[in-house]
Amino acid sequence: MASAQSYPNKPIKLIAPVAAGGGLDNLARKVADRLSKNLGQTIVIENMGGGGGTIASQYVAKAAPDGYTLLVSYVATHGTNPAVRKLPYDAIKDFTAIGMIGATPNVLVINPDVPAKNLKEFVAYAKKNPAKLSYGSAGPGSLTHLGVEQFKLGADIFMVHIPYRGIAPAFTDLLAGQTQAMLPSLFAAVPYLKSNRVRALAVTGLKRSPAEPNIPTFKELGYNGFDGQQWYGITGPANMPEAIVRKLNTELNKVLASPDLAEQMASEAMTLMPMSPEQFTTYVKEDIARWTKVAKDRKIEIEN
């Protein structure tokens, strides 16, 4: 078994469970570049899209637990998917938690033609017009789907779900007024907010985002439990040596303490969230429990 002293003595593969390009891939490359300098070894990003992250997750779960094959886990692979799908992996038992990277909140946005200036007015409008509202999502079982279902339950309102193949086409129809609401990541929504093409009502998370400090949290507005976010972390296969996990966690957290990275990520509405492996495990368990409850309450189960 490799020891922490000699690790790493060859390149590390960091699997990104998405196609190249986009937010997760960009984040993975920024973190890997800095982490490789700290570890004194190359980290190769390997993109493995498909199945909403299932293919990549299964690949890493079956890899040797020697620290040379790691995964950028995120809210889909280790949060929403386990809540709504039968998966070929167990998001907890088949992985070793290494550390959290960070998270961006989700924001409830509406088409400006909807006659509501804030969340209270939107809920009142939805209750008076139950057949008039629909919301778009990035796909069935995604955070953008389950988050709105959680809100519908909490606010006791009705909206029709219109699933899309990704967030871009969902935005196109929201801007055109084909749908009236959406819960994208704040990062994805910022360009549309800046140009006043959508109206923000509330963000998820425990506190307001520094990127858009004028948008209140759901919690401030009386909705508790809306702290689900678009999060990203690093995991490896189950049963990795403790010393290697600690070394990776220590070096990852050094990367996250870098002011220039924090500044870059803040410009993308992301907050860096260094954690111990134990804290990260707890976070993942709580996220799965949150979305499992929503899926059960709303009777959501996605066929693979």
Side-chain angles (χ1 to χ4, degrees):
M1 190 63 76
S3 70
Q5 282 74 30
S6 61
Y7 173 87
N9 56 24
K10 62 180 181 179
I12 296 166
K13 272 199 300 192
L14 181 60
I15 309 297
V18 293
L24 186 152
D25 182 56
N26 176 41
L27 177 66
R29 290 175 191 280
K30 283 178 177 167
V31 171
D33 181 53
R34 289 166 169 79
L35 190 56
S36 68
K37 289 185 176 74
N38 284 12
L39 291 168
Q41 190 56 257
T42 304
I43 298 178
V44 180
I45 301 290
E46 193 170 308
N47 296 91
M48 200 176 287
T54 302
I55 292 168
S57 299
Q58 192 176 10
Y59 175 82
V60 173
K62 289 181 174 177
D66 55 9
Y68 291 100
T69 305
L70 306 174
L71 175 72
V72 182
S73 303
Y74 73 119
V75 67
T77 60
H78 286 67
T80 56
N81 278 353
V84 299
R85 290 183 163 87
K86 288 183 173 65
L87 296 172
Y89 64 87
D90 184 303
I92 301 298
K93 293 177 185 171
D94 292 341
F95 294 87
T96 299
I98 290 163
M100 173 70 99
I101 296 172
T104 180
N106 283 55
V107 57
L108 182 63
V109 294
I110 57 173
N111 182 290
D113 290 340
V114 177
K117 300 295 183 197
N118 54 48
L119 191 64
K120 187 177 179 181
E121 288 181 9
F122 181 70
V123 170
Y125 179 78
K127 287 185 173 177
K128 284 180 188 165
N129 301 276
K132 283 191 178 177
L133 295 174
S134 62
Y135 75 93
S137 78
S142 65
L143 181 59
T144 55
H145 173 203
L146 295 184
V148 178
E149 291 301 316
Q150 182 187 22
F151 173 61
K152 283 165 60 178
L153 201 63
D156 191 25
I157 59 172
F158 177 78
M159 285 190 281
V160 175
H161 174 218
I162 312 289
Y164 293 84
R165 294 181 84 110
I167 208 70
F171 257 118
T172 300
D173 274 9
L174 177 68
L175 298 177
Q178 299 295 322
T179 58
Q180 288 70 49
M182 193 160 66
L183 190 77
S185 72
L186 182 57
F187 173 54
V190 162
Y192 304 103
L193 292 170
K194 298 285 189 206
S195 57
N196 295 316
R197 286 183 286 171
V198 296
R199 181 178 299 136
L201 302 182
V203 290
T204 62
L206 298 174
K207 55 188 180 182
R208 294 189 183 201
S209 170
E212 290 288 334
N214 293 327
I215 307 173
T217 64
F218 280 95
K219 187 178 177 66
E220 282 177 70
L221 301 173
Y223 294 87
N224 290 317
F226 285 76
D227 42 357
Q229 301 189 88
Q230 201 74 258
W231 59 263
Y232 307 88
I234 296 179
T235 59
N239 303 314
M240 281 177 59
E242 175 78 8
I244 288 176
V245 173
R246 293 288 160 200
K247 184 167 188 174
L248 283 168
N249 178 264
T250 299
E251 297 306 330
L252 173 63
N253 288 345
K254 282 182 191 171
V255 166
L256 300 181
S258 155
D260 74 306
L261 181 64
E263 198 175 307
Q264 277 186 41
M265 291 296 100
S267 71
E268 299 181 11
M270 179 173 289
T271 302
L272 300 177
M273 297 166 63
M275 294 183 185
S276 68
E278 293 79 11
Q279 288 169 327
F280 185 35
T281 298
T282 299
Y283 186 97
V284 173
K285 284 179 177 174
E286 287 175 353
D287 210 49
I288 292 171
R290 176 205 324 280
W291 301 122
T292 300
K293 183 181 185 312
V294 172
K296 188 178 176 185
D297 288 344
R298 305 303 286 177
K299 298 180 171 56
I300 297 167
E301 190 173 340
I302 312 299
E303 294 295 323
N304 291 333

